[in-house]
Each structure stands twice: as C-alpha cells, then as structure tokens.
Amino acid sequence: MGSLKAVLKHPDDFFPLLKLKMAANKAEKQIPSEPHWAFSYSMLHKVSRNFALVIQQLNPQLRDAVCIFYLVLRALDTVEDDTSIAADIKVPILIAFHQHIYNRDWHFACGTKEYKVLMDQFHHVSTAFLELKRGYQEAIEDITMRMGAGMAKFICKEVETVDDYDEYCHYVAGLVGIGLSKLFHSSGTEILFSDSISNSMGLFLQKTNIIRDYLEDINEIPKSRMFWPREIWSTYVNKLEDLKYEENSEMALQCLNNMVTNALIHIEDCLKYMSQLKDPAIFRFCAIPQIMAIGTLALCYNNIEVFRGVVKLRRGLTAKVIDRTRTMADVYQAFSDFSDMIKSKVDMHDPSAQTTITRLEAAQKICKDSSTLSNRKSYIFKRESGYCPALLALLFIILAILYAYLSAN
C-alpha cells in the first residue's frame, strides 16, 4: 500500500488504497489449483499487479485467454529486451515464438527476476494455452507471429523516423490492441473493431511507456535501448544519451514535450474505441490503463525528472483511478482533467507548444461534447489537507487495525 508519508499528504487516498489492497488479496485467493493455471495467474500478479486486478473481473473464458495472451507477449518481450542475447540467437527465437507456444517442453533461459522464472517455466503457459478455445488460440498465435517478426526487424534496424517509431510501436503494442479486440469479439460481447482504432489503443500506451522509461532504457547494460526517433531527438542534441546531461536540460525538455505531443494524437481514437464498448468488465479493463497513460503523460510533460529518475503516478492516485473508473463519463472527466494539467504546464515559447495546445483542445472538445462532464471536485488535482498530521496518523493506525481484522475474517 502507499507510503505513510504519501497517505498523510493525500489522506483521501487511504480508502482507495485499502480497497485496492483487499481486492489484490481476494484476487490472489482466487488463483486456480491446477499447476499450469496456478503458475500463470501467480506470474500475472508478479509481472503486473494492477493488470491482474482488472483481468480478474472478466468472464472466466475471456479472463483465461487474456491472461495467457499477456504472459505469452511478456515472454516474447523478455527475449527482445534482454540485451545480453546476441542478435543471431535472438532473431530466430522471436520469429519462431508463435510455434513455441504449442510446445509443452519449450523454454529459454533469459531475463531477470520474475521474468527469468516465466521463461524457465514457460511450459506451464504453453499447457494453459493449449486448453483455450481454438478461436482464442488462433488470435494469440497470429498476433505473436506478427509481433515476433516486427521485433526481429527492429533488432537490426534503428528507429530513425517518426514513421519507424509508429511502426515499432505497432509491432510491440498496436498488435496487442488488435489482438485484444479479436479476443473481445470471440467472447461474443463486443463488435470487431477496426485494426486502425485498435492499433491506436496500443500506441498510446506504448508511447507513454517509451517516454517515461527514457532513463532506464538509455542506461541499460550491456547496451542501451533507444526507441525515441532520431527525427525528433536529433533536432535538439547530437546523441540521444545527451538528453540526460544537465547542461542540455532546456533542449531535453523541448524534446520531451515534442514526444508527449506526438503521443497525444492517439487520444481521439482511444476515446472513440472506449465509448463503443458494451461489456462493463471489458470497458474497465481497457479504460483504466488509458487513464493511467494520460496521467503519466501529464506528469512527464515539461518535467526534467524524466531524465534524472523515475516519474510515475503515485500509488494512491492509481488506486483512485481503479476505484472510480466505472463509466465513459469517468473517462471523459479524467481525460479532460489531465489535459488541463498538461495545458497548465505548456510554455508558449516551446517549439511544439501550439501543436500541443491544439491536440489537447481537440481532446477536451470530445470530452465536453459528451455532455457528461460534471462540476464535481476532481480527484486528480492536488488539494491540501486541512487535517492535523497527528490525527491522520491515528486514523491511519485505526484503519490499518480494521483492515487486519477484516483480512483475518
């Protein structure tokens, strides 16, 4: 749960954090008993705790399919991300990965921590995959094949242009959006969305991650991972790693703001996609990551900390997003609020400023035209607490005791 200091600073985070913790505990208790399914769901909780929570709300067949789809792609991503693997070994594995998922005996040693465990015991994932409906298997195989081929292409090719950037993001995330749309359709609850609009759902999330993870990727050992397109960063510095040096701070912020502005172009498609979802569980599954993405972009925009350390939503705000995202009105409100946050940070002397404002106002117009925005207080913007820290600490202790009691029973 969030740190005591963060909760004292944002006391209204406590109950959403408490609910999130209890939901996580409940989800962990619902892990199936069969060894391959137990491994798959346990691993899902380890590699993406928040994602595991929203998956649990899907209907059982779709939940199993999405769980395995996610783990297969995480395994594929683990191979791609491991910079210690030589290209002549990595490329054939990526290209053939869609065949390995049918082999109960296949595994490959790579990755670190929980990802190493996933790769070492991948046979559990393959066993679970083979129990899915044929329609789900075909969708997962198709996306894995296309993604593996795309990843292999960019092992030997750098991201030079913005078109390259869009193509790379399509392979590693847009295809995920397309695959999920196919799984949703196969479940019988949703229409089959076009590849274009499904692709945008993935690109918005992936571009957010690439922006946020600049420092981690550039400092990767033994070799940097460079996904920011040269067409953008070369306008500001001679080498991509130069953005992290203090003497280049002004240029770094301008480059960062250009990258965020590039990501904003996908908002219209994302809002359109989510507004057409019918199943409430699928809607929350899609909407929560999208809100967290626009929130992360709002934190990253014009923020030099992207080049100095880790920038991410505080745990309490994440808990609020998970707790309060129920309807499309909630999505419109969150996107409008986070767009306001970015607008408040725009320096009109920034070279991308006018384009940034134009894209934000286009997104806000969609939200406003929905006629769902309310005058309620936003949970997104900071509000100073009027409570005494000592009283808050006492409240925290009492609620912690209550939580322990409820958990025990």
Side-chain angles (χ1 to χ4, degrees):
M1 209 155 70
S3 70
L4 177 59
K5 182 179 179 181
V7 173
L8 291 178
K9 187 174 181 181
H10 304 275
D12 54 340
D13 286 357
F14 184 82
F15 282 110
L17 282 166
L18 182 62
K19 291 172 73 173
L20 183 64
K21 179 65 175 176
M22 295 181 74
N25 287 349
K26 181 180 178 181
E28 288 174 1
K29 291 176 182 177
Q30 293 175 336
I31 291 175
S33 58
E34 298 96 324
H36 49 290
W37 286 110
F39 174 85
S40 297
Y41 276 99
S42 296
M43 187 55 58
L44 182 67
H45 282 277
K46 291 175 182 176
V47 298
S48 182
R49 195 172 183 85
N50 291 335
F51 189 74
L53 287 177
V54 290
I55 277 186
Q56 291 288 352
Q57 300 173 47
L58 299 172
N59 74 63
Q61 280 196 349
L62 181 58
R63 179 175 65 221
D64 288 346
V66 173
C67 172
I68 298 306
F69 184 45
Y70 184 82
L71 290 178
V72 167
L73 299 187
R74 289 303 299 183
L76 183 64
D77 190 55
T78 299
V79 175
E80 186 213 18
D81 282 350
D82 194 329
T83 54
S84 68
I85 305 172
D88 60 338
I89 296 174
K90 181 182 292 189
V91 169
I93 294 173
L94 294 173
I95 292 173
F97 207 91
H98 67 287
Q99 298 171 340
H100 297 318
I101 60 180
Y102 286 96
N103 183 351
R104 297 176 193 267
D105 298 322
W106 186 86
H107 61 90
F108 181 72
C110 67
T112 59
K113 299 178 182 178
E114 59 268 18
Y115 299 103
K116 184 179 188 308
V117 177
L118 172 63
M119 297 305 298
D120 287 344
Q121 301 188 46
F122 192 77
H123 63 280
H124 286 305
V125 179
S126 297
T127 301
F129 168 79
L130 292 170
E131 292 184 3
L132 299 176
K133 285 171 50 179
R134 185 60 191 157
Y136 289 142
Q137 290 180 355
E138 289 173 349
I140 293 172
E141 178 189 1
D142 175 59
I143 297 302
T144 304
M145 178 181 66
R146 293 161 66 184
M147 185 180 292
M151 287 178 168
K153 177 179 179 178
F154 277 90
I155 293 298
C156 308
K157 170 184 170 67
E158 291 191 358
V159 180
E160 297 283 347
T161 67
V162 172
D163 285 343
D164 289 342
Y165 182 46
D166 285 342
E167 183 183 8
Y168 173 75
C169 290
H170 162 73
Y171 287 133
V172 300
L175 285 172
V176 180
I178 293 169
L180 286 172
S181 291
K182 290 183 177 182
L183 295 181
F184 298 156
H185 181 64
S186 295
S187 73
T189 58
E190 303 293 346
I191 63 171
L192 183 58
F193 289 94
S194 70
D195 283 0
S196 175
I197 194 172
S198 302
N199 186 60
S200 286
M201 289 285 283
L203 261 63
F204 189 59
L205 300 182
Q206 183 63 23
K207 288 184 176 182
T208 298
N209 291 341
I210 286 174
I211 291 166
R212 180 199 62 197
D213 294 341
Y214 164 85
L215 192 64
E216 178 185 339
D217 289 338
I218 207 70
N219 288 337
E220 180 73 20
I221 295 174
K223 182 182 178 183
S224 296
R225 293 181 292 179
M226 295 185 284
F227 304 118
W228 289 32
R230 181 185 297 271
E231 183 180 341
I232 291 180
W233 62 256
S234 63
T235 304
Y236 307 96
V237 288
N238 293 323
K239 294 186 291 185
L240 182 57
E241 57 263 35
D242 290 346
L243 293 171
K244 68 181 180 179
Y245 300 125
E246 191 170 349
E247 61 268 24
N248 297 322
S249 293
E250 183 179 353
M251 291 292 101
L253 285 176
Q254 290 182 7
C255 183
L256 169 63
N257 296 342
N258 194 333
M259 290 289 291
V260 172
T261 301
N262 172 274
L264 297 177
I265 201 169
H266 303 292
I267 290 179
E268 183 176 351
D269 276 352
C270 293
L271 292 174
K272 182 178 179 182
Y273 184 104
M274 290 183 282
S275 70
Q276 296 181 50
L277 291 170
K278 298 179 178 67
D279 184 280
I282 291 176
F283 169 77
R284 278 174 47 78
F285 173 83
C286 294
I288 289 169
Q290 296 293 329
I291 292 176
M292 291 173 67
I294 183 68
T296 300
L297 290 178
L299 286 183
C300 289
Y301 185 85
N302 212 38
N303 185 352
I304 198 63
E305 285 304 309
V306 170
F307 305 100
R308 305 287 185 267
V310 179
V311 175
K312 62 180 181 179
L313 296 177
R314 71 177 190 278
R315 185 69 175 162
L317 184 53
T318 297
K320 285 180 180 176
V321 171
I322 293 172
D323 183 48
R324 301 183 187 184
T325 303
R326 303 288 172 182
T327 67
M328 197 60 205
D330 300 323
V331 173
Y332 287 131
Q333 188 72 57
F335 267 76
S336 180
D337 288 346
F338 279 124
S339 294
D340 267 338
M341 185 183 294
I342 298 175
K343 280 176 71 175
S344 71
K345 298 165 69 176
V346 174
D347 178 352
M348 293 311 297
H349 293 99
D350 186 284
S352 305
Q354 193 54 59
T355 306
T356 308
I357 293 294
T358 299
R359 290 180 181 173
L360 290 171
E361 289 181 345
Q364 289 187 302
K365 185 178 186 301
I366 295 172
C367 297
K368 184 178 179 181
D369 289 350
S370 72
S371 301
T372 61
L373 299 186
S374 67
N375 293 320
R376 64 187 177 184
K377 287 185 176 180
S378 172
Y379 66 84
I380 289 168
F381 295 113
K382 293 181 180 180
R383 296 192 300 275
E384 292 301 321
S385 169
Y387 297 104
C388 167
L391 289 177
L392 284 173
L394 179 60
L395 175 63
F396 185 88
I397 292 169
I398 292 171
L399 290 174
I401 293 171
L402 175 62
Y403 166 71
Y405 172 78
L406 291 173
S407 297
N409 289 274

